[in-house]
Structures are given as structure tokens and as C-alpha cells.
Amino acid sequence: MDRVELGTFLRSRRERLRPEDVGLPSGTRRRTSGLRREEVAVLAHISIEYYVRLEQGRAPRPSGEVLAGIADALRLTAAESAHLHLLAGTAPSRTGLHRRDVRPSILALLERLPQTAGFVVSAAFEVLAWNDLAAALMEDFGPLHPDDRNLARRAFLGSTRSAAGLYGVSDPSEFQHDVVVQLRTTAARYPTDPVVARLVHDLRTGSDTFARLWEQHDVQAPPTLRKTFHHPVVGPVTVDCDALALDERDQHLVLYSAAVGSHDGEALALLGVLGPQGVAAAL
């Protein structure tokens, strides 16, 4: 149970709600926005003292029934409720290190994908494997130091390799929000992993944007179904985005594709012919 993080998360969810969101009168004497602690306690059918201690990080582990009542009182989404249970220690957690080895069958699949840029990312946003089209569309990850293959570091701490930022994507702010959301879950799932802890520390101290988003305690991001890359060789390429969960290793297979015969499909096909070496030569 992470008492401090649990208390902070509860407070952040309480402060975002308005009294009218839960059927209470707003009143005229509220000094701050959000619900009062006693209001949450009444709605969750628990004692005010116990809820106050939860937010202060001083309470013993709550039961599943208590957590369900709090989740209902705070109008938590399914993802937020799952995160609440994770912080409270009532959900399965992974106390070791996050996996960085990719299943051989996935490595083989990457090479067989037709006109599809594919790569595998770890729970900490490390690019672990990729095919040639992904390298041509984004970057040849092979020569890079492992830290430079981390998309979270690239999104927030920048790169000296490219003035276009994160591969010229059209939605950098959306991706940044998605990174923070997923890293918060990763940090709760792997509380003893030094790689994850160092990553979060580096991002919080090195990026004001990350620090601001981290303090929002969001744990659910809207899905990004399409993305446009402003490629330096073939110009803008809009692709469909699919992220397939590889649950047994807590990784994701990310696929970028476009309809065959479309302008974007032809751009991907050209990148497939050029490959990462051809792209590098054209720059």
C-alpha cells in the first residue's frame, strides 16, 4: 500500500468534483473548489475521521468494499478505480523489474508485417524492437543509447538529434499526456524498479510540463486512433494507430498503417523501399 500516493490521488480526485456533480448544493461559503472531505465520507458511507486519515496517508489498508464506496463517491472511471486499488495494495502488482525481453514470435512478426511500421515498447516507454519501416518513419533506433530509445525522454527532454522534436508528430501534447498517464500506472505497478524510478525522477526534475501533468494524477487518456508524421523526406504521412497489449510481459506492440493505394499508403511504401539507410542518405 502506497499511503502517500493514495492520499494524494484521493485528494486530486476530490478537488476536481463540484458539489452539483454529486447532487449536493454548491453553497456560498466554500473557500476552495471541490468537495469537502466530510462530503466524500458521507457519500462513501465511511467515517469522516477514517477518510481524513486516508488522505493524510495515516490510515490502515481499506477493504475492497470501502474502496468501492470511495470510487463511487468520487465518480471514478474504471481506469481510476483500478488505479485506486493498485495504490491501496488490493490489486495484483508486480514487485520486480519490468520486462525488456521481447518474445521471439513478436520479433518475427515485426519483420513479416506488410507496409506497416511496427515496434514494441516496454512499460517504461523503451523501444525494445522495431522493423525497418518504423526506423524509416521515425528513426533508426539501433545506434542509439538505450536512454535515447525511450519515447518518454524524447517527448519531454527533447533530443539533440532532431529539430523536429518527436519525429514531427502532429499531436505532441496528446502523446505527452498519454505518457504521463501510463507512467503513473507503471510506477505504481513496479514500485521497486530502479529504472522506472529514475525515469520518473529525471522527467519530473527535467521538464516543467511533465511535472505539471504528473501533479494532475490522471490515469486514463483518450485513445489516439490516427497520427500524422511530418517526415523530412516524404512529407506529411497520416497513419492509423493500433497498440496491442502483450500482457504477459507488460509491453505493447504499436502498429502504424495506411490504406494501400492512398497517398499515405504510397508514402509508407516509399519509406519501405528507402529503408532507414535511404532516408539517412536523403537528408
Side-chain angles (χ1 to χ4, degrees), residues 133 137 234-238 262-274:
L133 185 50
L137 177 64
V234 299
V237 185
T238 299
S262 66
H263 167 77
D264 300 303
E266 291 176 353
L268 282 182
L270 177 56
L271 287 175
V273 172
L274 291 174

Side-chain angles (χ1 to χ4, degrees), residues 161-217:
R161 295 176 56 85
S162 173
L166 191 67
Y167 314 118
V169 295
S170 59
D171 60 344
S173 60
E174 290 181 21
F175 181 72
Q176 286 179 330
H177 183 253
D178 187 50
V179 166
V180 174
V181 165
Q182 294 190 45
L183 275 184
R184 181 168 290 285
T185 300
T186 296
R189 189 177 293 139
Y190 300 95
T192 62
D193 190 326
V195 172
V196 174
R198 181 171 71 92
L199 174 62
V200 173
H201 174 269
D202 290 349
L203 294 175
R204 292 185 73 179
T205 56
S207 169
D208 292 339
T209 300
F210 182 91
R212 174 178 56 80
L213 292 173
W214 188 260
E215 291 306 314
Q216 292 178 5
H217 291 267

Side-chain angles (χ1 to χ4, degrees), residues 54-95:
L54 274 176
E55 280 203 5
Q56 294 174 343
R58 299 186 298 109
R61 176 179 295 167
S63 67
E65 182 179 3
V66 167
L67 290 173
I70 292 174
D72 184 61
L74 293 175
R75 302 298 192 265
L76 300 187
T77 66
E80 290 170 335
S81 181
H83 188 67
L84 177 67
H85 281 270
L86 188 63
L87 294 176
T90 59
S93 62
R94 308 178 192 221
T95 57

